[in-house]
Amino acid sequence: MLLDELEARPFLMRPERVRERIEALDALERGLAFAGTARDAVVSRAEALVVELASLNDAAFRSLREDIRSGRGASRLLEWASCAELPDGDGYDPVDELVGGVLGFDPPDAPAVALSADMVFYQPTPARHVFAMLARMALDSRDVLVDLGSGLGHVPLLTAICTGARAIGVELEPAYVACARQAATGLSLRGVELLQQDVRSFDFGIGTVFYMYTPFRGAIMREVLDRLRVEAAHRDVRICTFGPCTPVVAREAWLSTSDAPRTDRIVVFRGTR
Ligand SMILES: C[S@@+](CC[C@H](N)C(=O)[O-])C[C@H]1O[C@@H](n2cnc3c(N)ncnc32)[C@H](O)[C@@H]1O
């Protein structure tokens, strides 16, 4: 039934239907796992469709990567990734796979740095939330977005592709930084820097927008918030947060937001002077 249904959807073959193909591939792979080692005509048809859909997506990723290299990729990426609605929460969906295919990461080496108790392990922000933040922030060439604890660099890389702002990722783990740099080089991105350092040694004077997906807590968060407060005392600074760090940041009296301090969406704070 699934095969009949998918084969009756010719639009699945259109180049821009990457997300729908990812959903179809997930469904087919679940069906094939269920079939196990059984071999019959239905399994062969399903396998052939998997190969066809996967190669269409590979071709779509190659073509979009080429557009990004020549500086023309933003509108197509935004169109392909756009969602009618923004599901809350930290679950992943086909937009994340789409972004993974476009950014073309090599798998990172095993982490080399042991995180201290106040540092949070790597987990990427679901891409739909990153696109929603970029749409909302309307960044331009005067902005410098800094992702504090940038992991593989999704946020600065997507910022560099989709906006005119400069983007900086600050990440302690060298294996993740190497991966992010390789993705930036592979897409010939200018205006993005992936720095391997502890955020506490970063020059906060550079940024206009700071993003945190709960990268640390406790004393490190306190130190970072104090450094941001110093910046916000003399210039406009916006701070975007996602996840459990949001209620912590919301308690800062020098920040204001019109957003509810919820943890399942990105919340935008402004420094008040
Ligand atoms: C939850 S992940 C967020 C990744 C990325 N910002 C994103 O949203 O896709 C937190 C990251 O912060 C990094 N991190 C934790 N403490 C750090 C510190 N003191 N300096 C730099 N990076 C740190 C971790 O290694 C991890 O990659």
Side-chain angles (χ1 to χ4, degrees):
M1 276 168 61
L2 172 67
L3 269 173
D4 289 343
E5 197 199 314
L6 293 176
E7 286 169 350
R9 290 195 212 163
F11 67 81
L12 267 183
M13 304 303 163
R14 301 215 320 241
E16 72 279 11
R17 297 303 186 119
V18 180
R19 279 203 346 245
E20 288 90 340
R21 280 194 293 273
I22 290 169
E23 279 162 6
L25 282 163
D26 286 347
L28 284 166
E29 270 149 25
R30 279 195 300 276
L32 284 168
F34 184 71
T37 53
R39 306 290 322 165
D40 63 16
V42 174
V43 169
S44 302
R45 256 171 75 205
E47 287 173 343
L49 189 54
V50 165
V51 170
E52 187 176 5
L53 296 177
S55 73
L56 283 166
N57 271 1
D58 287 346
F61 294 144
R62 275 198 304 278
S63 132
L64 181 47
R65 286 172 60 79
E66 197 47 55
D67 276 2
I68 291 170
R69 275 187 213 104
S70 59
R72 293 178 287 108
S75 57
R76 197 139 70 109
L77 175 58
L78 291 169
E79 183 196 326
W80 287 9
S82 79
C83 309
E85 57 189 66
L86 178 66
D88 299 327
D90 58 6
Y92 298 102
D93 65 26
V95 180
D96 296 287
E97 207 168 318
L98 188 160
V99 164
V102 172
L103 297 181
F105 292 119
D106 286 339
D109 290 341
V113 170
L115 298 182
S116 74
D118 278 344
M119 300 180 185
V120 178
F121 62 88
Y122 174 62
Q123 199 170 321
T125 305
R128 63 184 178 282
H129 293 298
V130 181
F131 287 115
M133 171 174 74
L134 295 180
R136 188 172 168 197
M137 302 302 282
L139 303 175
D140 65 27
S141 58
R142 291 164 297 182
D143 282 304
V144 180
L145 178 140
V146 182
D147 184 3
L148 296 168
S150 49
L152 293 189
H154 292 78
V155 175
L157 293 167
L158 290 175
T159 302
I161 294 168
C162 298
T163 79
R166 185 175 157 205
I168 300 177
V170 187
E171 168 59 47
L172 193 58
E173 173 49 56
Y176 301 158
V177 176
C179 230
R181 286 180 181 159
Q182 167 263 324
T185 304
L187 290 168
S188 307
L189 294 181
R190 286 179 295 273
V192 62
E193 289 156 75
L194 291 317
L195 307 177
Q196 191 270 307
Q197 65 188 73
D198 191 304
V199 294
R200 289 169 288 182
S201 62
F202 179 69
D203 174 5
F204 284 72
I206 301 172
T208 63
V209 175
F210 294 87
Y211 177 68
M212 292 189 278
Y213 175 17
T214 313
F216 26 73
R217 23 176 196 246
I220 303 181
M221 180 58 92
R222 184 67 267 149
E223 184 174 339
V224 166
L225 287 170
D226 289 343
R227 301 270 300 275
L228 289 169
R229 180 164 44 107
V230 170
E231 295 304 321
H234 61 90
R235 62 192 182 86
D236 290 339
V237 166
R238 291 182 285 174
I239 299 174
C240 305
T241 61
F242 183 62
C245 73
T246 294
V248 177
V249 175
R251 286 199 287 273
E252 296 295 298
W254 53 279
L255 286 173
S256 70
T257 181
S258 52
D259 297 344
R262 52 196 286 185
T263 58
D264 56 357
R265 287 205 171 194
I266 291 177
V267 171
V268 182
F269 298 89
R270 281 180 183 277
T272 50
R273 278 185 270 161

